[in-house]
Amino acid sequence: MLFSSPIFVFAFLPLVLAVYFVIPKAVRNAWLLGVSLVFYAWGEPVVAIVMLCSIAMNYAFGLWVDRAREKPSGKFAVGLAIAANLALLVVFKYADWLWTGASAALVGLGLLDAAWAPLGTYLAPDSWLRESFLEGDSIRLPIGISFFTFQAFSYVVDVYRRDAPVQKNPFNIALYVAFFPQLIAGPIVRYLDVAEQIVHRVVTLERFASGARRFVIGLAKKVLIADLCAATADKIFALPPEQLTPALAWLGVVTYTLQIYFDFSGYSDMAIGLGRLFGFEFLENFRYPYVARSITDFWRRWHISLSTWFRDYLYIPLGGNRGSKARTYANLFVVFFLCGLWHGASSTFIVWGVYHGLFLVLERVGVGAWLDRRAAIVRHVYVMLAVMVGWVFFRAETFGQASHFLSAMVGIQNGSQTIDLGTTIVSAERLHPIGLFADMRTWLAIAAGIIGSTPWLPAVAAWTKGLWDTGRTARAASVELLGLVLLAILFVACAMELAAGSYSPFIYFRF
């Protein structure tokens, strides 16, 4: 089920809220857990077994680690928990990719018949298992498995470190992992941040209103900006290399740059807003990353829950920056190699991760100090160019496609090639004019995306608060009333888009 679907906005969410506020507090967690399981299992009920197994496994590991922490078996218990969770992730997310590479090598060496190369030939011979866990000959990827796996076993590690109390109620652990607002695309919530909220939380009118506002803003980001930009980006990235012009390449990367930010930050906004409706307060996941002045700063603002997860559970345990410079640089490369791999079973994701790791090392070596002496506009251009080139690798299906795209962006492939259509020969520029890929709604979405990437909303909120604090209540009330009107207009516009039946799943669902 999608947050940006009519059934969620107009049926599922109102029903969940209505029941939540009329039932006794003692059973509210049970209600939230039940509807969260329905939300996740919608359309693919059997795959939900994977998440339930993850919950049960990590609940048991948490109890074991808590009992054995002071014993020699404590490290073994936490190590086994990490290994079991990584094994679950590898089997469902990376087994196909790893086997494809290995089987191709074996076929090339003559050690394996090509007919036996697909992994599905070795798995699930029973028809029920095949239909439930395989798509063709590939293992079906449970939605959001990277998110709930990282979230679940971070709980075990936090219990071992005494950063969080062990939870003996299995239903509370299940709610922590499965709570529908952040279940399938984050933010990655740490147990220590919500442990108290699970057992005791209060919903105030102010918090509820804040949550509703945040949800609508996130919905607008997704429906009115990300989806419109996605339509253009998808068309351009689908073009054959010889038909790609510099103008189209730049339009494609700009629209994808906006799409991925507003898609993911929109989901995070909706998750944070939905959490507030039920009394939960999740940490921020984005802080306007496209206004960053370095790649280091970018990663302090982009997908904060993931970057802090890698920092606390990988970078610091590896030694962080406490060793030699060479060791620090190696740690950064390891972290960003795995960060790229976390995003997907593809070598292009790995290149994207290492690419960002390289920039972080360069900025530590001296580029960062050089940037500090440059004008803000120079630093901003540097960040945006670096980030957009990285997004080409992130979006491209292959290295070849990424290479052609980058070539077009720098003018090496300039669209002057002629294309034989059978009855006539035309240039790529004439065959694919910009207007064919971007109409007025697209340009409005791009403009809104550029403006929305800057922190003007917090500035307006701070200014309005200043009006209240200085006694200019009439002006402050007028500003807030205008804000409510604009919010209502956004919601109506989103409802109209949803009614049109456009379908565009969130990018991060596949992670």
Side-chain angles (χ1 to χ4, degrees):
M1 191 182 300
L2 299 174
F3 288 169
S4 56
S5 64
I7 192 170
F8 179 85
V9 175
F10 300 112
F12 182 85
L13 182 58
L15 175 63
V16 172
L17 285 169
V19 174
Y20 181 82
F21 287 108
V22 299
I23 60 178
K25 289 184 178 181
V27 297
R28 286 181 176 178
N29 279 358
W31 171 247
L32 288 181
L33 176 58
V35 297
S36 294
L37 295 177
V38 170
F39 175 86
Y40 185 77
W42 192 271
E44 289 188 330
V46 178
V47 179
I49 295 172
V50 178
M51 184 187 65
L52 292 174
C53 289
S54 175
I55 292 170
M57 177 177 69
N58 285 285
Y59 168 72
F61 274 126
L63 295 177
W64 182 13
V65 166
D66 183 60
R67 290 195 303 267
R69 187 191 296 108
E70 305 299 335
K71 302 176 183 178
S73 59
K75 288 186 177 180
F76 174 76
V78 75
L80 185 60
I82 293 172
N85 279 280
L86 291 179
L88 185 71
L89 198 58
V90 168
V91 167
F92 283 95
K93 189 168 183 177
Y94 302 105
D96 281 317
W97 180 57
L98 293 172
W99 176 249
T100 297
S103 61
L106 292 173
V107 170
L109 293 172
L111 301 176
L112 180 69
D113 189 285
W116 287 87
L119 183 61
T121 59
Y122 301 92
L123 301 174
D126 182 81
S127 60
W128 178 82
L129 288 174
R130 173 172 289 275
E131 292 176 4
S132 301
F133 292 101
L134 294 181
E135 289 180 336
D137 285 316
S138 299
I139 298 175
R140 178 174 296 174
L141 179 65
I143 294 175
I145 187 172
S146 293
F147 286 95
F148 68 70
T149 301
F150 271 27
Q151 189 161 305
F153 89 78
S154 69
Y155 155 73
V156 179
V157 175
D158 284 346
V159 169
Y160 177 76
R161 293 174 174 176
R162 295 186 185 275
D163 290 336
V166 68
Q167 176 55 255
K168 297 183 178 181
N169 185 333
F171 296 102
N172 286 349
I173 285 296
L175 179 61
Y176 158 66
V177 175
F179 188 35
F180 74 89
Q182 45 75 45
L183 169 60
I184 50 183
I188 300 172
V189 177
R190 304 273 287 275
Y191 182 71
L192 59 92
D193 293 325
V194 296
E196 178 62 26
Q197 299 177 53
I198 289 175
V199 297
H200 177 73
R201 58 189 179 273
V202 177
V203 181
T204 64
L205 182 60
E206 181 180 6
R207 175 175 288 183
F208 189 92
S210 172
R213 274 198 308 271
R214 192 68 177 267
F215 178 82
V216 172
I217 290 172
L219 184 64
K221 282 183 174 183
K222 167 62 176 171
V223 174
L224 303 180
I225 298 179
D227 285 356
L228 291 176
C229 287
T232 296
D234 289 348
K235 290 177 184 176
I236 294 175
F237 273 90
L239 285 174
E242 67 275 7
Q243 299 182 22
L244 193 62
T245 66
L248 285 178
W250 277 103
L251 178 61
V253 75
V254 167
T255 49
Y256 185 72
T257 297
L258 294 174
Q259 176 199 355
I260 192 169
Y261 171 58
F262 284 96
D263 187 283
F264 196 20
S265 71
Y267 185 97
S268 294
D269 285 343
M270 284 188 271
I272 291 169
L274 288 169
R276 289 177 183 171
L277 297 182
F278 300 101
F280 288 89
E281 195 66 45
F282 301 144
L283 298 180
E284 294 295 333
N285 207 25
F286 288 87
R287 286 200 304 267
Y288 300 96
Y290 290 162
V291 302
R293 294 294 183 260
S294 67
I295 299 301
T296 303
D297 186 30
F298 174 83
W299 277 100
R300 294 191 186 109
R301 298 168 176 270
W302 177 272
H303 202 344
I304 300 168
S305 65
L306 179 65
S307 57
T308 55
W309 195 99
F310 272 105
R311 180 197 66 196
D312 294 343
Y313 297 101
L314 184 60
Y315 181 68
I316 292 176
L318 285 173
N321 56 5
R322 298 188 301 273
S324 65
K325 289 184 178 180
R327 179 62 183 271
T328 298
Y329 303 154
N331 291 342
L332 284 171
F333 269 109
V334 169
V335 167
F336 276 87
F337 170 86
L338 293 176
C339 179
L341 187 61
W342 178 88
H343 281 84
S346 170
S347 52
T348 54
F349 285 126
I350 293 174
V351 169
W352 172 81
V354 172
Y355 169 86
H356 274 271
L358 177 62
F359 271 100
L360 291 181
V361 170
L362 290 174
E363 289 181 2
R364 281 179 175 266
V365 170
V367 172
W370 180 86
L371 283 172
D372 289 340
R373 299 191 296 270
R374 306 280 81 81
I377 184 63
V378 174
R379 299 167 67 186
H380 182 65
V381 169
Y382 153 78
V383 170
M384 290 311 302
L385 285 176
V387 168
M388 286 194 289
V389 169
W391 287 142
V392 172
F393 288 102
F394 195 90
R395 176 60 178 78
E397 299 292 335
T398 64
F399 286 122
Q401 184 185 23
S403 175
H404 286 300
F405 219 89
L406 293 172
S407 296
M409 288 171 64
V410 298
I412 296 176
Q413 185 171 304
N414 58 23
S416 61
Q417 298 93 335
T418 56
I419 301 169
D420 190 350
L421 299 180
T423 57
T424 184
I425 296 178
V426 298
S427 69
E429 290 178 327
R430 288 188 59 191
L431 182 63
H432 295 307
I434 287 289
L436 195 64
F437 295 85
D439 56 16
M440 182 56 65
R441 294 205 315 161
T442 305
W443 293 114
L444 288 174
I446 292 172
I450 292 172
I451 295 171
S453 298
T454 63
W456 68 273
L457 271 178
V460 171
W463 177 67
T464 305
K465 184 178 183 302
L467 293 178
W468 285 111
D469 293 342
T470 56
R472 290 175 284 181
T473 56
R475 182 177 296 183
S478 299
V479 173
E480 294 203 351
L481 179 60
L482 177 61
L484 289 175
V485 171
L486 293 176
L487 202 67
I489 292 173
L490 282 178
F491 183 74
V492 171
C494 290
M496 293 173 64
E497 286 291 329
L498 295 178
S502 58
Y503 175 77
S504 178
F506 290 89
I507 292 175
Y508 270 70
F509 275 20
R510 58 178 171 161
F511 305 141

